[in-house]
Amino acid sequence: MLNHPWIVYAKAAIAVRVERARNAPSKGASAVEWVIITAIIAGVALGLATLIQNLVESQQAELENTFGGGGGGGNGQRDR
């Protein structure tokens, strides 16, 4: 039964594929490296966005304190 041509062919095909997989350059490691690099870049971008947001909000609060809370309603008319 193990000498049937289909079984011999299947064993040979599997052996060839296993040998190719063992000797092939590792493409999976490259994908993992790209994921790690992308995660690092995303983390840095998120950190910078948070830092910029905090700086803008602090400057906004400083301006509001300096000018007493903002404008006069925005209707284009001056108080008399």
Side-chain angles (χ1 to χ4, degrees):
M1 170 105 171
L2 293 178
N3 291 332
H4 191 276
W6 285 105
I7 294 177
V8 172
Y9 174 77
K11 286 176 22 181
I14 291 172
V16 167
R17 294 196 59 120
V18 167
E19 188 62 28
R20 262 196 234 153
R22 285 184 179 159
N23 294 329
S26 57
K27 293 181 182 178
S30 178
V32 171
E33 291 170 357
W34 276 107
V35 168
I36 291 171
I37 291 169
T38 303
I40 291 170
I41 292 171
V44 169
L46 184 61
L48 285 174
T50 303
L51 176 67
I52 291 170
Q53 179 182 4
N54 289 338
L55 290 172
V56 167
E57 287 175 352
S58 69
Q59 288 296 318
Q60 179 183 3
E62 185 178 326
L63 286 171
E64 285 177 357
N65 290 337
T66 302
F67 292 109
N75 61 2
Q77 296 178 354
R78 295 171 58 181
D79 292 335
R80 295 175 193 198

